[in-house]
Amino acid sequence: MTTTPIIAFNNVCKTFGTNQVLNGISFKVNQGEDVVILGRSGSGKSVAVKCIVGLIEVDKGEIVVFGTDVTQLNYKALNKIRTRIGFLFQNGALYDSMSVRQNLAFTLKHHTKGLSESEVEQQIMEALGNVGLKNAIDLMPSALSGGMKKRIGLARTLISKPEIILYDEPTTGLDTITSREISDLILDIQKKYKTTSIIITHDLSCAKKTGNRIMILKDGVIHCEGSYTELENSKDEWVKSFFL
């Protein structure tokens, strides 16, 4: 693993009304890392990752991705950066009116122009193979379980071959076994594609399994960071409360 920062937050602030969610947050993610961000509900975890892809505009500070401050980019330049980033939303965010095949094809054709139908089909099958759901290719989202929707959402994220993947609560709403399977998939994807990932979660089992490094967000800043074991054994009473 290199120590080249691929994502860097520098004094980033974001306020909604009178609620200051991000209060000068600063951190770095190195190339090839899986970094977990923990925090209480409403602490700004999801806001932080949405700022990376410009879904939420910051009030102040820099977010440097691939060496470029994305907060200063125009729409066209930001979209170019977005093609290198995959975002797995909490609910999978599949198009309900499209089959699994159509969902993946739509994303692939949007990111990669000029592909033949056979090339599209090949890449769809590869993406579904990565998540173990080739047999779901012609199902509609309404026919998928919660775990299957997460997997298909992940396949759709992978099909554009992103260098960075942002996971927003990847195991929320899933049973223990399915959550473990999703965590295993996150690890498999990092190893296979050498991706860099930020994983937003409150699931300690997911954090322990997937995080090369774990950060805990409090009062809009990174309160502490370290390995799972280091944080679990912290003398900080507030940090200890996460692991009770």
Side-chain angles (χ1 to χ4, degrees):
M1 184 184 296
T2 71
T3 55
T4 304
I6 198 168
I7 301 169
F9 274 57
N10 299 315
N11 196 33
V12 174
C13 298
K14 180 61 186 179
T15 300
F16 295 97
T18 59
N19 182 24
Q20 183 149 28
V21 178
L22 302 180
N23 189 22
I25 186 173
S26 297
F27 65 86
K28 295 180 180 179
V29 179
N30 297 323
Q31 190 168 358
E33 271 193 304
D34 273 355
V35 170
V36 168
I37 300 180
L38 293 174
R40 304 292 189 201
S41 295
S43 62
K45 306 184 300 296
S46 295
V47 170
V49 292
K50 288 176 180 177
C51 288
I52 294 172
V53 289
L55 293 176
I56 294 176
E57 292 185 10
V58 306
D59 299 329
K60 175 185 173 184
E62 296 180 331
I63 301 176
V64 179
V65 183
F66 303 122
T68 300
D69 181 3
V70 296
T71 68
Q72 300 301 310
L73 296 180
N74 61 30
Y75 182 77
K76 183 177 180 180
L78 180 59
N79 267 347
K80 190 173 182 180
I81 292 283
R82 284 172 172 166
T83 63
R84 302 170 67 185
I85 302 173
F87 200 125
L88 183 65
F89 293 91
Q90 285 189 38
N91 60 3
L94 300 175
Y95 297 110
D96 291 336
S97 61
M98 295 183 182
S99 68
V100 168
R101 183 197 304 271
Q102 291 167 331
N103 264 280
L104 270 63
F106 179 85
T107 301
L108 180 59
K109 291 175 180 178
H110 179 74
H111 281 86
T112 309
K113 308 299 182 184
L115 292 175
S116 67
E117 288 304 314
S118 62
E119 287 172 328
V120 170
E121 186 74 6
Q122 179 183 356
Q123 292 193 42
I124 288 173
M125 293 306 291
E126 178 186 349
L128 289 175
N130 282 327
V131 300
L133 282 178
K134 286 185 177 181
N135 60 348
I137 189 168
D138 290 316
L139 295 180
M140 299 298 289
S142 59
L144 304 174
S145 67
M148 291 172 75
K149 286 179 180 177
K150 292 276 189 179
R151 286 173 176 266
I152 297 301
L154 187 48
R156 193 178 66 176
T157 299
L158 288 174
I159 204 165
S160 59
K161 302 293 193 295
E163 297 163 64
I164 294 172
I165 302 180
L166 308 174
Y167 297 91
D168 190 7
E169 299 284 5
T171 60
T172 292
L174 304 179
D175 61 72
T176 302
I177 293 173
T178 307
S179 295
R180 191 181 305 127
E181 291 172 348
I182 295 295
S183 297
D184 286 338
L185 270 176
I186 292 171
L187 285 179
D188 291 344
I189 287 161
Q190 183 198 31
K191 291 173 184 174
K192 184 172 182 178
Y193 294 107
K194 312 301 181 189
T195 54
T196 302
S197 302
I198 295 179
I199 302 150
I200 301 301
T201 188
H202 63 273
D203 180 348
L204 289 181
S205 296
C206 177
K208 184 176 184 178
K209 178 167 282 194
T210 61
N212 301 129
R213 185 159 50 100
I214 298 172
M215 305 177 188
I216 301 183
L217 189 62
K218 180 185 180 185
D219 298 329
V221 297
I222 299 300
H223 179 71
C224 61
E225 65 176 86
S227 68
Y228 185 93
T229 300
E230 288 169 341
L231 295 179
E232 186 179 30
N233 294 319
S234 172
K235 303 301 182 185
D236 185 314
E237 291 298 325
W238 188 83
V239 173
K240 286 168 65 175
S241 69
F242 277 84
F243 300 90
L244 296 177

